[in-house]
C-alpha cells in the first residue's frame, strides 16, 4: 500500500486510538503514552491493511491497537492489562484472570462497535454530499445510514421507482464516491 495512503489512514483514525486508549488504566503510563503505543499499533495495521477485502480500516486496526497498548502495559507492570470499562472482574482481583475473561462473546456488542458505526456513518454522510438528492436518498436507505436499511425494492416503492432503476442509481452513486475517494 502507498505510504501516503497509510499515513492518511493513521491521521484520520487517531481519534479511534484515543478512544481505545482511554479504556485502559495504568498507574505507570498516562493516556498520552497509551495513545502513542496505540498509534504504533495502528501504523503496523496500516502497513498490512488490504482495502480490497472490504473490511473497514478501524475494524482491521483495532486488534493491532489493543495489542500495542496491552504490550506496553505488560512491559511496564508485568501484569496482563485489564480494561477499565469493559472487563467485569471483581474489584482488586487482578490475579483472577481466567479463560472466561479473554474469550470473546460473539453475541455481545463490542465496546467500540457503536463508535465504529458512528464514525463510518459520519464519514459516509460527509462523502455523499457530492451526490444529488436522489442518489443520497438511495445510498442512505440502501446502507442504513441515519435510517433503517432497506432493500432496493423497498427503496423503489418509497421513491416511486422500479427496483432496477434504484440499482442503477445506487451503482452510479457508488462510482461517483469511488472516483471522489481516489482523487483525495
Amino acid at each position: 500500500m502507498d505510504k501516503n495512503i497509510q499515513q492518511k489512514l493513521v491521521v484520520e483514525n487517531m481519534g479511534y486510538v484515543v478512544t481505545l486508549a482511554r479504556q485502559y488504566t495504568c498507574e505507570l503510563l498516562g493516556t498520552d503514552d497509551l495513545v502513542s503505543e496505540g498509534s504504533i499499533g495502528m501504523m503496523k495495521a496500516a502497513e498490512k491493511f488490504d482495502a480490497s477485502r472490504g473490511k473497514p480500516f478501524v475494524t482491521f486496526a483495532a486488534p493491532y491497537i489493543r495489542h500495542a497498548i496491552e504490550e506496553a502495559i505488560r512491559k511496564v507492570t508485568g501484569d496482563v492489562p485489564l480494561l477499565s470499562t469493559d472487563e467485569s472482574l471483581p474489584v482488586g482481583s487482578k490475579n483472577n484472570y481466567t479463560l472466561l475473561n479473554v474469550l470473546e462473546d460473539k453475541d455481545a456488542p463490542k465496546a467500540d462497535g457503536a463508535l465504529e458505526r458512528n464514525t463510518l456513518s459520519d464519514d459516509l454522510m460527509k462523502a455523499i454530499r457530492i451526490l444529488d438528492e436522489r442518489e443520497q436518498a438511495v445510498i442512505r436507505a440502501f446502507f442504513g445510514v441515519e435510517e433503517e436499511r432497506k432493500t432496493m425494492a423497498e427503496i423503489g416503492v418509497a421513491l416511486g421507482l422500479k427496483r432496477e432503476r434504484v440499482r442503477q442509481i445506487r451503482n452510479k452513486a457508488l462510482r461517483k464516491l469511488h472516483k471522489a475517494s481516489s482523487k483525495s
Side-chain angles (χ1 to χ4, degrees):
M1 181 184 290
D2 182 359
K3 289 288 183 189
N4 290 333
I5 295 172
Q6 289 177 8
Q7 184 178 9
K8 185 177 178 183
L9 284 172
V10 170
V11 170
E12 289 179 352
N13 292 290
M14 197 51 113
Y16 185 68
V17 175
V18 172
T19 300
L20 288 182
R22 287 182 179 156
Q23 293 178 354
Y24 292 86
T25 57
C26 179
E27 293 175 6
L28 301 174
L29 292 173
T31 302
D32 290 345
D33 294 324
L34 297 176
V35 169
S36 295
E37 294 297 328
S39 298
I40 293 168
M42 186 165 55
M43 286 184 246
K44 289 178 184 175
E47 290 173 6
K48 296 179 182 191
F49 182 64
D50 181 5
S52 68
R53 294 192 148 183
K55 191 172 193 178
F57 177 69
V58 290
T59 303
F60 179 81
Y64 289 88
I65 297 166
R66 285 191 182 103
H67 176 76
I69 292 170
E70 291 171 3
E71 191 60 33
I73 293 171
R74 193 174 293 113
K75 284 178 184 175
V76 172
T77 64
D79 289 338
V80 175
L82 300 176
L83 291 172
S84 63
T85 56
D86 297 343
E87 293 293 338
S88 55
L89 290 176
V91 175
S93 63
K94 285 188 177 180
N95 295 329
N96 291 343
Y97 204 73
T98 67
L99 185 58
L100 286 175
N101 298 111
V102 295
L103 290 177
E104 180 181 4
D105 181 357
K106 301 286 186 196
D107 297 326
K110 294 190 178 180
D112 54 355
L115 172 69
E116 182 180 321
R117 282 189 303 279
N118 290 341
T119 301
L120 292 173
S121 179
D122 290 346
D123 290 346
L124 184 57
M125 290 306 294
K126 288 176 190 171
I128 67 173
R129 289 185 185 136
I130 66 167
L131 304 176
D132 67 37
E133 194 174 314
R134 188 165 62 170
E135 290 168 338
Q136 286 183 26
V138 168
I139 292 297
R140 277 198 305 272
F142 186 78
F143 289 103
V145 177
E146 296 182 339
E147 62 184 82
E148 190 69 30
R149 188 171 186 193
K150 296 181 177 109
T151 66
M152 284 190 271
E154 292 169 328
I155 297 167
V157 168
L159 297 178
L161 302 169
K162 293 190 184 271
R163 183 189 166 285
E164 178 59 22
R165 182 64 184 134
V166 171
R167 186 189 65 76
Q168 292 169 353
I169 293 169
R170 181 204 60 189
N171 290 347
K172 180 182 176 187
L174 291 174
R175 283 192 302 273
K176 279 184 180 179
L177 291 171
H178 180 72
K179 186 176 180 182
S181 71
S182 63
K183 287 181 182 179
S184 56

